[in-house]
Amino acid sequence: MISLIQLGTVDYATGLRLQQQLVALRKEEKIGDVLLLLEHSPVITLGRNAKAANVVASPELLAQRGVELFECDRGGDVTFHGPGQIVGYPIFDLRGFVTPAGKRKTLGAVEFVRRLEEVLIRTCADFAIPTKRVPGLTGVWTDLKGRDFSRADSGQDKEAASAAGVRPEAKLAAIGIHISRFVTSHGFALNVNTDLSYFKLIVPCGITAKPVTSMQQELGKPLDLNAVAESISRNFGVVFQSQMLWVETLDALLGRAVGVPMQYPENLRRLHDERGTRLA
């Protein structure tokens, strides 16, 4: 079973500390597998393999646009998180998932990433956006060959149809993970209604040849984030062959895990008190 919690908008530092605490609890088997879905305040993050040169904006411009900058221990290069983007943090123990052939009971890092990609490919398909993997690159990319332009009526649709043959694949979702003692953290970022101008502040994932896009840009209209979250949940259940349990609050998750309803473990209570507000 995978417990899913929607946290709303969370600043990156709080989200990072929350992940660290949940990872520790997962390693101690005090909680089961958890999927956090949230939005971040505008932030640029640099993964373990990031090059500082891929942040092209000056500190002054970042401050002007209200964008924070963080280094973190996930894989990958530079990326942006912000409003309109669904960020997913799976806190999973990979020893609980069998490999496709059933030969091993522990899912490997590459297999885990492929499953995350599959979840997002299926989610995009739920909204009539064909996507694919690109060999040698992590993430989910538009598949223009799979688009049906036969009913292109609007000028925007016709323009997309005429450009389909020359436009490169565009990145819809980025993935960067960290694994410690079989327990995962960090995860994916799916651009739903994201303001794509923020990506001009960086070289996204260090890739200059392919643009970044969003579900809104591909469809020409904004989407309901809750509807996308529900699709993500459903597809996690299918791909990871698990029952999905929506949990309303962290209190509910942690109370059930430690046997004390509505009470945080001490380390998370400190995080809770520092904020002065509920995290969920």
Side-chain angles (χ1 to χ4, degrees):
M1 178 182 292
I2 298 171
S3 297
L4 186 153
I5 307 176
Q6 276 189 289
L7 293 178
T9 300
V10 178
D11 67 83
Y12 190 76
T14 298
L16 188 60
R17 287 186 292 167
L18 177 56
Q19 286 185 79
Q20 292 168 346
Q21 304 295 351
L22 292 176
V23 165
L25 292 171
R26 187 68 188 97
K27 288 177 179 178
E28 296 169 3
E29 299 185 353
K30 291 183 177 179
I31 60 173
D33 293 323
V34 179
L35 173 62
L36 304 178
L37 294 182
L38 52 94
E39 294 176 76
H40 277 310
S41 310
V43 61
I44 290 170
T45 66
L46 293 83
R48 293 190 305 270
N49 305 318
K51 297 179 180 178
N54 286 331
V55 180
V56 297
S58 66
E60 292 76 17
L61 180 55
L62 294 180
Q64 179 183 336
R65 297 208 60 180
V67 179
E68 295 183 291
L69 189 65
F70 277 88
E71 294 182 344
C72 59
D73 60 1
R74 63 162 172 79
D77 204 294
V78 176
T79 196
F80 168 80
H81 300 309
Q85 180 191 72
I86 294 182
V87 175
Y89 292 137
I91 313 298
F92 290 0
D93 187 332
L94 296 182
R95 291 172 294 185
F97 299 97
V98 180
T99 57
K103 295 180 179 179
R104 288 187 288 112
K105 292 184 178 180
T106 300
L107 204 62
V110 174
E111 295 161 324
F112 176 62
V113 169
R114 295 290 89 83
R115 288 198 185 188
L116 294 182
E117 290 172 341
E118 184 63 24
V119 167
L120 298 170
I121 287 171
R122 288 169 177 258
T123 297
C124 291
D126 286 344
F127 294 88
I129 303 174
T131 54
K132 64 179 182 180
R133 298 178 179 87
V134 173
L137 298 175
T138 301
V140 173
W141 308 77
T142 53
D143 183 5
L144 293 173
K145 292 181 180 179
R147 286 284 289 272
D148 180 9
F149 294 108
S150 61
R151 300 180 181 178
D153 296 323
S154 69
Q156 185 177 10
D157 289 341
K158 291 177 180 178
E159 183 179 347
S162 64
V166 296
R167 180 181 165 196
E169 302 101 340
K171 195 166 195 175
L172 257 175
I175 295 174
I177 64 168
H178 179 74
I179 301 175
S180 172
R181 286 166 42 198
F182 303 105
V183 175
T184 66
S185 57
H186 298 283
F188 65 86
L190 175 62
N191 295 326
V192 183
N193 303 323
T194 319
D195 180 351
L196 298 177
S197 69
Y198 282 105
F199 286 94
K200 295 179 181 178
L201 303 174
I202 62 175
V203 180
C205 302
I207 301 169
T208 58
K210 298 182 186 296
V212 174
T213 190
S214 67
M215 297 176 75
Q216 178 180 10
Q217 178 160 296
E218 294 304 306
L219 295 176
K221 61 182 180 181
L223 285 82
D224 180 351
L225 288 174
N226 287 327
V228 179
E230 289 171 5
S231 173
I232 290 171
S233 172
R234 183 170 57 252
N235 288 309
F236 257 95
V238 171
V239 173
F240 285 88
Q241 299 180 334
S242 297
Q243 180 181 353
M244 303 299 296
L245 175 65
W246 285 67
V247 180
E248 290 189 2
T249 65
L250 283 171
D251 283 320
L253 172 73
L254 300 171
R256 182 170 56 255
V258 299
V260 184
M262 304 304 292
Q263 183 176 357
Y264 285 92
E266 181 60 33
N267 49 8
L268 278 178
R269 281 204 298 273
R270 286 198 298 269
L271 176 58
H272 174 87
D273 292 342
E274 287 172 16
R275 299 273 303 163
T277 58
R278 294 168 69 95
L279 288 174

